[in-house]
């Protein structure tokens, strides 16, 4: 299994175009301890030739240009891409907007659960993806699905989708009551396997329970929601009015945070991804980044590579 992090930031990227927080200011100055990051997406392959995309961020065109392994190959003719499939974990804009940049008549398979398939089928703008070339396939919960390209060729990967605590996409909100916005069907986690190797991808999570721990256990690598360091981080920074809990994300720090909740889970590597621009862990020289590393976690960055 080969893994390439195309983007590691939350919605808006880092630095965010309209944010003047300390981290964004440092990133614009190209300080050596503060690396810019695009919006979260991962490419994964069982053979190094055909690749599957996990979420299609708005930054996908830039990510494809920057990733040599995803460039067209001469043997493929005038139109070619190593990208064979896309698997979606949510209907959030930062997970699906990049699909609109894959409309150039390139065959690829698109996998999504019932909720996200409904979003894509109901929105006319996604009709730019020719269904004869881009089949939209089901991703049932609780069962392993073998991934195939648009023509039906196996990709050597299986994916199992499982429910994760979270909320519906922002553009679907009709209330400010988080209890009315959360659903066990709004967000899914993805467990991918190639042979005996297992990677778990959970870029958005509001809470960790025993069922989630079961899905994570024994993974070779876990990519987990690292949106905020503190629950009220954006409020204190003056960049927003919502807590992490209101946005459907648990924070990293504290007794109720993800580092504590996942401290004893049996996985090979634990990596935070989907990191908001206000999160101090994006600055490698911050005390918060040091605390993450001391706890045995890594912080994802664009271009990060893993081979399992």
């Amino acid at each position: 299994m080969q893994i390439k992090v195309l983007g590691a930031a939350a919605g808006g990227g880092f630095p965010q175009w309209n944010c003047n927080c300390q981290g964004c200011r440092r990133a614009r100055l190209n300080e050596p301890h503060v690396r810019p990051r695009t919006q979260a997406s991962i490419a994964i392959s069982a053979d190094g030739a055909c690749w599957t995309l996990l979420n299609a961020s708005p930054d996908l065109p830039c990510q494809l240009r920057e990733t040599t392994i995803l460039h067209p190959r001469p043997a493929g003719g005038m139109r070619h891409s190593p990208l064979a499939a896309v698997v979606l974990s949510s209907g959030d804009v930062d997970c699906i907007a990049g699909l609109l940049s894959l409309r150039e008549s390139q065959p690829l398979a698109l996998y999504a659960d019932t909720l996200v398939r409904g979003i894509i089928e109901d929105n006319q703008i996604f009709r730019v993806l020719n269904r004869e070339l881009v089949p939209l396939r089901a991703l049932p919960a609780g069962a392993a699905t073998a991934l195939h390209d648009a023509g039906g060729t196996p990709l050597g990967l299986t994916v199992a989708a499982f429910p994760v605590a979270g909320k519906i996409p922002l553009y679907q909100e009709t209330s400010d009551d988080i209890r009315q916005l959360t659903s066990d069907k709004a967000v899914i986690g993805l467990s991918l396997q190639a042979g005996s190797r297992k990677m778990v991808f959970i870029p958005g999570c509001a809470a960790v329970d025993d069922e989630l721990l079961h899905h994570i256990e024994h993974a070779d690598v876990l990519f987990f929601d690292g949106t905020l360091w503190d629950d009220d981080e954006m409020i204190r920074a003056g960049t927003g009015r919502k807590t992490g809990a209101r946005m459907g994300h648990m924070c990293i720090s504290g007794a109720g945070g993800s580092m504590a909740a996942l401290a004893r889970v049996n996985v090979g590597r634990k990596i935070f991804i989907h990191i908001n621009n206000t999160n101090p862990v994006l600055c490698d020289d911050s005390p918060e980044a040091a605390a993450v590393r001391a706890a045995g976690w890594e912080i994802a960055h664009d271009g990060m590579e893993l081979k399992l």
Side-chain angles (χ1 to χ4, degrees), residues 118-203:
I119 290 172
I120 291 172
E121 290 171 339
D122 292 344
N123 193 319
Q124 295 186 26
I125 196 169
F126 289 106
R127 294 178 188 174
V128 299
L129 295 172
N130 185 343
R131 286 288 171 264
E132 294 182 3
L133 296 173
V134 185
L136 181 56
R137 295 173 178 163
L139 191 61
T145 299
L147 297 180
H148 296 75
D149 68 12
T153 301
L155 298 176
L157 293 166
T158 61
V159 59
F162 53 91
V164 173
K167 75 168 190 66
I168 61 175
L170 176 63
Y171 56 85
Q172 289 189 325
E173 291 185 7
T174 57
S175 165
D176 199 41
D177 185 346
I178 188 62
R179 293 170 298 180
Q180 298 180 27
L181 305 177
T182 54
S183 166
D184 60 1
K185 297 180 181 179
V187 180
I188 59 172
L190 302 172
S191 177
L192 293 106
Q193 288 194 243
S196 63
R197 298 301 187 180
K198 175 182 174 181
M199 185 200 84
V200 177
F201 181 62
I202 308 174

Side-chain angles (χ1 to χ4, degrees), residues 212-233:
L212 186 65
L213 291 173
H214 170 74
H215 289 290
I216 294 171
E217 194 76 16
H218 302 302
D220 293 285
V221 60
L222 165 67
F223 285 93
F224 193 81
D225 182 355
T227 305
L228 300 178
W229 174 257
D230 286 319
D231 187 55
D232 63 348
E233 174 182 306

Side-chain angles (χ1 to χ4, degrees), residues 94-105:
D94 54 348
C95 296
I96 65 174
L99 293 174
L100 301 177
S101 297
L102 300 176
R103 63 187 185 275
E104 283 76 21
S105 301

